[in-house]
Amino acid sequence: MKDKVIVTGGCGYIGSHTVITLIHHNYEVVIIDDFSNSSPQILDRIERISGVRPHFEQVDLKSFEATQAVFKTHKDAKAVIHFAAHKAVAESIQNPLMYYQNNLFSLLNVLKAQQENSINHLIFSSSATVYGNPSKMPITEDAPTQRSSSPYGNTKKIAEEILEDFTNSQSEISVISLRYFNPIGAHASGQIGEFPSGIPNNLMPYITQTAAGIREKLMVFGNDYPTKDGTPIRDYIHVVDLAEAHLKALERLLDTSTTSPLEIFNVGTGNGFSVLEMIKAFEAVSGSPLNYEITDRRPGDVPEMFASTTLAKNVLKWEASRNLKDMIQSSWTWEQNLRSELK
Ligand code: WQD
């Protein structure tokens, strides 16, 4: 058994895939989750897939006392991977205080509890949303960050600023912040995947729910963008590739010869696909036409985002290995076979 790692939000979409990758690489995992957007059944599924049931602590990270207590119990952990956060853009516009309170208090409590228990490594879930509407493609990590059009996006930008100040102030804790592009796909077992609550905000779950008959029709938000077919371009990344990026980040942090206080990496494939290309690719995988309609632009959407992957390749020694067909096929399998069991 290798080192112990605390994974907050370990029952969520990206967290659960990362937990499985960590277990496969013999890490001892402690999941902290409050089930606010996940379910206890995920623990059973992780056990079924990996053969190991991780330690589990149901904790609301907004409470410092509760966070401190669980970190104290697991003070032999070497690192924390902090996924736990609210992530719905539209909900954050409706309820900004809930987002700032949840996403930022939890980060502050995790950092303070790490400090008090000498758990000296952190991987933070950031987002490409910190780039706002970038002027140059592909986006490199040194591109300026911009104020986001949503409170959700802003919590990620502010969190990175907190991490910068914190890591500048003292040398004990080293941090890797991973800026995710657009995670889609599901585990090859078909047992875990994305489980959006209510109406999905994101493209891929909306497509699969439409094909499954849960939604009537996909609305394509605008076809008058300055892109090849007029629809916005994004860098979709397989969630299992994303999980493997966390493993590489963890290995880098634990290898003390390479650590510097704060490092930031894009996690994308470097390839951009438009909304219409995604629909076509989905239709090819599912073998049926998708019901969709072009409608108005969605406020806040930018025309084009795709990652420069050079830094992750050279420094993190990570690059995505799964292609768009793998991503879409696994999303579709997950939607068809098992998603309904979790209701
Ligand atoms: C992709 C494209 C839409 C739904 C958002 C957040 C970001 C991150 C990921 C995570 C866009 C179009 C979508 C639909 C559509 N958050 N679309 N019809 O906007 O790149 O990023 O999710 O936790 O912070 O901003 O991803 O999947 O919402 O949209 O036409 O019903 O699909 O306009 O061009 P986005 P998305």
Side-chain angles (χ1 to χ4, degrees):
M1 189 62 83
K2 291 195 210 159
D3 293 318
K4 187 189 264 195
V5 181
I6 295 174
V7 181
T8 76
C11 289
Y13 174 41
I14 303 168
S16 59
H17 288 82
T18 302
V19 165
I20 286 166
T21 299
L22 293 175
I23 292 173
H24 279 153
H25 286 80
N26 288 320
Y27 286 94
E28 184 181 354
V29 175
V30 180
I31 292 180
I32 297 178
D33 208 297
D34 65 356
F35 297 133
S36 59
N37 192 23
S38 63
S39 128
Q41 290 172 57
I42 300 299
L43 293 168
D44 302 331
R45 290 175 176 222
I46 289 172
E47 184 176 7
R48 223 185 295 161
I49 295 167
S50 69
V52 175
R53 193 170 186 89
H55 306 278
F56 176 74
E57 308 275 359
Q58 187 164 354
V59 173
D60 179 351
L61 297 170
K62 291 195 293 302
S63 158
F64 176 69
E65 286 67 33
T67 307
Q68 162 64 5
V70 69
F71 276 48
K72 200 170 167 198
T73 307
H74 296 286
K75 65 187 303 160
D76 54 333
K78 290 287 180 294
V80 179
I81 307 182
H82 181 45
F83 291 105
H86 292 332
K87 61 170 187 178
V89 171
E91 184 185 52
S92 79
I93 295 167
Q94 295 302 315
N95 202 343
L97 292 188
M98 180 173 102
Y99 271 68
Y100 288 117
Q101 200 170 31
N102 187 66
N103 293 5
L104 296 178
F105 282 3
S106 64
L107 174 65
L108 295 173
N109 289 339
V110 163
L111 288 172
K112 194 156 157 41
Q114 281 191 256
Q115 208 169 27
E116 298 213 346
N117 294 287
S118 303
I119 304 174
N120 286 337
H121 304 293
L122 172 70
I123 299 171
F124 178 69
S125 296
S126 187
S127 167
T129 194
V130 301
Y131 295 116
N133 188 359
S135 53
K136 263 198 327 213
M137 291 298 140
I139 307 167
T140 50
E141 286 83 349
D142 59 3
T145 60
Q146 293 173 13
R147 196 185 187 288
S148 172
S149 57
S150 77
Y152 159 75
N154 239 7
T155 66
K156 295 297 178 188
K157 180 175 181 286
I158 295 167
E160 284 199 353
E161 289 165 359
I162 290 170
L163 291 171
E164 199 179 330
D165 290 342
F166 180 68
T167 51
N168 276 338
S169 72
Q170 50 89 43
S171 58
E172 292 303 312
I173 296 183
S174 53
V175 179
I176 290 182
S177 181
L178 297 178
R179 290 177 176 165
Y180 313 154
F181 279 68
N182 290 62
I184 62 170
H187 195 261
S189 64
Q191 303 264 327
I192 55 168
E194 188 171 12
F195 192 73
S197 57
I199 301 170
N201 295 292
N202 298 116
L203 180 64
M204 197 65 226
Y206 212 106
I207 287 178
T208 58
Q209 289 196 10
T210 304
I214 300 162
R215 311 280 154 212
E216 195 206 330
K217 176 190 286 190
L218 171 75
M219 296 298 177
V220 173
F221 300 137
N223 67 349
D224 58 351
Y225 287 91
T227 60
K228 51 191 164 187
D229 61 20
T231 62
I233 289 173
R234 295 290 182 273
D235 185 338
Y236 297 91
I237 164 101
H238 198 301
V239 67
V240 178
D241 278 326
L242 182 50
E244 288 168 5
H246 291 80
L247 175 72
K248 292 291 187 185
L250 178 64
E251 286 170 351
R252 182 168 171 81
L253 286 171
L254 295 178
D255 175 0
T256 44
S257 66
T258 54
T259 46
S260 58
L262 173 63
E263 291 184 317
I264 294 175
F265 297 99
N266 286 340
V267 188
T269 65
N271 303 314
F273 292 97
S274 74
V275 176
L276 292 178
E277 284 175 332
M278 292 298 286
I279 294 171
K280 295 257 165 331
F282 180 81
E283 289 175 334
V285 163
S286 70
S288 316
L290 188 81
N291 192 18
Y292 73 89
E293 181 185 322
I294 310 286
T295 176
D296 292 342
R297 288 185 178 196
R298 181 172 69 178
D301 278 348
V302 301
E304 188 173 42
M305 300 275 282
F306 58 93
S308 163
T309 56
T310 309
L311 196 68
K313 245 182 247 173
N314 292 346
V315 178
L316 208 52
K317 314 288 181 218
W318 170 89
E319 67 183 303
S321 64
R322 293 160 182 86
N323 63 27
L324 189 66
K325 191 168 172 238
D326 298 333
M327 301 183 213
I328 291 179
Q329 180 66 66
S330 61
S331 291
W332 183 220
T333 303
W334 159 246
E335 180 74 60
Q336 283 174 296
N337 297 340
L338 285 144
R339 186 184 172 279
S340 55
E341 283 180 26
L342 282 172
K343 277 180 186 156

